[in-house]
CSV table of all heavy atoms in Angstrom, one decimal:
chain,number,residue,atom,x,y,z
R,50,VAL,N,42.6,15.0,123.8
R,50,VAL,CA,43.2,14.8,125.1
R,50,VAL,C,42.5,13.8,125.9
R,50,VAL,O,43.0,12.9,126.5
R,50,VAL,CB,43.4,16.2,125.8
R,50,VAL,CG1,43.9,15.9,127.2
R,50,VAL,CG2,44.4,17.0,125.1
R,51,PHE,N,41.2,14.1,126.1
R,51,PHE,CA,40.4,13.2,126.9
R,51,PHE,C,40.3,11.8,126.3
R,51,PHE,O,40.2,10.8,127.0
R,51,PHE,CB,39.0,13.7,127.2
R,51,PHE,CG,39.0,14.7,128.3
R,51,PHE,CD1,39.2,16.1,128.0
R,51,PHE,CD2,38.7,14.3,129.6
R,51,PHE,CE1,39.2,17.0,129.1
R,51,PHE,CE2,38.7,15.3,130.6
R,51,PHE,CZ,38.9,16.6,130.4
R,52,ALA,N,40.2,11.7,124.9
R,52,ALA,CA,40.2,10.4,124.3
R,52,ALA,C,41.4,9.6,124.5
R,52,ALA,O,41.4,8.4,124.7
R,52,ALA,CB,39.9,10.6,122.8
R,53,VAL,N,42.6,10.3,124.5
R,53,VAL,CA,43.9,9.6,124.8
R,53,VAL,C,43.9,9.1,126.2
R,53,VAL,O,44.3,7.9,126.5
R,53,VAL,CB,45.0,10.6,124.6
R,53,VAL,CG1,46.3,10.0,125.2
R,53,VAL,CG2,45.2,10.9,123.1
R,54,ILE,N,43.3,9.8,127.2
R,54,ILE,CA,43.3,9.4,128.6
R,54,ILE,C,42.4,8.2,128.7
R,54,ILE,O,42.7,7.2,129.4
R,54,ILE,CB,42.8,10.5,129.5
R,54,ILE,CG1,43.8,11.7,129.5
R,54,ILE,CG2,42.7,10.0,130.9
R,54,ILE,CD1,43.4,12.9,130.2
R,55,VAL,N,41.2,8.2,128.1
R,55,VAL,CA,40.3,7.1,128.2
R,55,VAL,C,40.9,5.9,127.5
R,55,VAL,O,40.8,4.8,128.1
R,55,VAL,CB,38.9,7.5,127.5
R,55,VAL,CG1,38.1,6.2,127.3
R,55,VAL,CG2,38.2,8.6,128.3
R,56,PHE,N,41.6,6.1,126.4
R,56,PHE,CA,42.2,4.9,125.7
R,56,PHE,C,43.3,4.3,126.6
R,56,PHE,O,43.4,3.1,126.8
R,56,PHE,CB,42.8,5.3,124.4
R,56,PHE,CG,43.5,4.2,123.7
R,56,PHE,CD1,42.8,3.3,122.9
R,56,PHE,CD2,44.9,4.1,123.7
R,56,PHE,CE1,43.5,2.3,122.3
R,56,PHE,CE2,45.6,3.1,123.1
R,56,PHE,CZ,44.9,2.2,122.4
R,57,ALA,N,44.1,5.2,127.2
R,57,ALA,CA,45.2,4.7,128.0
R,57,ALA,C,44.7,4.0,129.3
R,57,ALA,O,45.3,3.0,129.7
R,57,ALA,CB,46.1,5.8,128.4
R,58,TYR,N,43.6,4.5,129.9
R,58,TYR,CA,43.2,4.0,131.2
R,58,TYR,C,42.2,2.8,130.9
R,58,TYR,O,42.2,1.8,131.6
R,58,TYR,CB,42.5,5.1,132.0
R,58,TYR,CG,42.1,4.6,133.4
R,58,TYR,CD1,43.0,4.3,134.4
R,58,TYR,CD2,40.7,4.5,133.7
R,58,TYR,CE1,42.6,3.9,135.6
R,58,TYR,CE2,40.3,4.1,134.9
R,58,TYR,CZ,41.3,3.8,135.9
R,58,TYR,OH,40.9,3.4,137.1
R,59,GLY,N,41.2,3.0,130.0
R,59,GLY,CA,40.1,2.0,129.9
R,59,GLY,C,40.4,1.1,128.7
R,59,GLY,O,39.8,0.0,128.7
R,60,GLY,N,41.2,1.5,127.7
R,60,GLY,CA,41.4,0.6,126.6
R,60,GLY,C,42.6,-0.3,126.6
R,60,GLY,O,42.5,-1.4,126.1
R,61,VAL,N,43.7,0.1,127.3
R,61,VAL,CA,44.9,-0.7,127.3
R,61,VAL,C,44.7,-2.0,128.0
R,61,VAL,O,45.2,-3.0,127.5
R,61,VAL,CB,46.0,0.1,128.1
R,61,VAL,CG1,47.2,-0.8,128.4
R,61,VAL,CG2,46.4,1.3,127.2
R,62,PRO,N,43.8,-2.2,129.0
R,62,PRO,CA,43.6,-3.5,129.6
R,62,PRO,C,43.1,-4.5,128.5
R,62,PRO,O,43.4,-5.7,128.6
R,62,PRO,CB,42.5,-3.3,130.6
R,62,PRO,CG,42.7,-1.9,131.1
R,62,PRO,CD,43.1,-1.2,129.8
R,63,PHE,N,42.3,-4.1,127.5
R,63,PHE,CA,41.8,-5.0,126.5
R,63,PHE,C,43.0,-5.4,125.6
R,63,PHE,O,43.1,-6.6,125.2
R,63,PHE,CB,40.8,-4.3,125.6
R,63,PHE,CG,39.5,-4.1,126.4
R,63,PHE,CD1,39.1,-2.8,126.7
R,63,PHE,CD2,38.7,-5.1,126.7
R,63,PHE,CE1,37.9,-2.6,127.4
R,63,PHE,CE2,37.5,-4.9,127.4
R,63,PHE,CZ,37.1,-3.6,127.7
R,64,LEU,N,44.0,-4.5,125.4
R,64,LEU,CA,45.1,-4.9,124.6
R,64,LEU,C,46.0,-5.9,125.3
R,64,LEU,O,46.5,-6.9,124.7
R,64,LEU,CB,46.0,-3.6,124.3
R,64,LEU,CG,45.6,-2.8,123.1
R,64,LEU,CD1,44.2,-2.2,123.2
R,64,LEU,CD2,46.7,-1.7,122.9
R,65,ARG,N,46.1,-5.7,126.6
R,65,ARG,CA,46.9,-6.7,127.4
R,65,ARG,C,46.2,-8.1,127.4
R,65,ARG,O,46.9,-9.1,127.3
R,65,ARG,CB,47.0,-6.2,128.9
R,65,ARG,CG,47.9,-5.0,129.0
R,65,ARG,CD,47.8,-4.5,130.4
R,65,ARG,NE,48.7,-3.3,130.6
R,65,ARG,CZ,48.6,-2.5,131.7
R,65,ARG,NH1,47.7,-2.7,132.6
R,65,ARG,NH2,49.4,-1.5,131.8
R,66,MET,N,44.9,-8.1,127.5
R,66,MET,CA,44.2,-9.4,127.5
R,66,MET,C,44.1,-10.0,126.1
R,66,MET,O,43.7,-11.2,126.0
R,66,MET,CB,42.8,-9.2,128.1
R,66,MET,CG,42.8,-9.0,129.6
R,66,MET,SD,41.2,-8.9,130.4
R,66,MET,CE,40.7,-7.2,129.9
R,67,ALA,N,44.3,-9.2,125.1
R,67,ALA,CA,44.3,-9.8,123.7
R,67,ALA,C,45.6,-10.5,123.4
R,67,ALA,O,45.6,-11.4,122.6
R,67,ALA,CB,44.1,-8.7,122.7
R,68,ALA,N,46.7,-10.2,124.2
R,68,ALA,CA,48.0,-10.8,123.9
R,68,ALA,C,47.9,-12.3,124.0
R,68,ALA,O,48.4,-13.0,123.1
R,68,ALA,CB,49.0,-10.2,124.9
R,69,PRO,N,47.3,-12.9,125.1
R,69,PRO,CA,47.3,-14.4,125.1
R,69,PRO,C,46.5,-15.0,124.0
R,69,PRO,O,46.8,-16.1,123.5
R,69,PRO,CB,46.6,-14.7,126.5
R,69,PRO,CG,46.8,-13.4,127.3
R,69,PRO,CD,46.8,-12.3,126.3
R,70,GLU,N,45.4,-14.3,123.5
R,70,GLU,CA,44.6,-14.9,122.4
R,70,GLU,C,45.5,-14.9,121.2
R,70,GLU,O,45.5,-15.9,120.4
R,70,GLU,CB,43.4,-14.0,122.2
R,70,GLU,CG,42.4,-14.0,123.3
R,70,GLU,CD,41.1,-13.2,123.0
R,70,GLU,OE1,41.1,-12.5,122.0
R,70,GLU,OE2,40.2,-13.3,123.8
R,71,LEU,N,46.2,-13.9,120.9
R,71,LEU,CA,47.1,-13.8,119.8
R,71,LEU,C,48.3,-14.9,119.9
R,71,LEU,O,48.6,-15.5,118.9
R,71,LEU,CB,47.7,-12.4,119.6
R,71,LEU,CG,46.7,-11.4,119.2
R,71,LEU,CD1,47.3,-10.0,119.2
R,71,LEU,CD2,46.0,-11.7,117.8
R,72,LYS,N,48.8,-15.0,121.1
R,72,LYS,CA,49.8,-16.0,121.3
R,72,LYS,C,49.4,-17.4,121.1
R,72,LYS,O,50.1,-18.2,120.5
R,72,LYS,CB,50.3,-15.8,122.8
R,72,LYS,CG,51.5,-16.7,123.1
R,72,LYS,CD,52.0,-16.5,124.6
R,72,LYS,CE,53.1,-17.5,124.9
R,72,LYS,NZ,53.6,-17.3,126.3
Side-chain angles (χ1 to χ4, degrees):
V50 169
F51 278 88
V53 167
I54 297 173
V55 171
F56 178 81
Y58 184 71
V61 169
F63 291 109
L64 273 62
R65 291 173 180 164
M66 288 184 284
E70 293 181 354
L71 293 174
K72 183 179 180 181

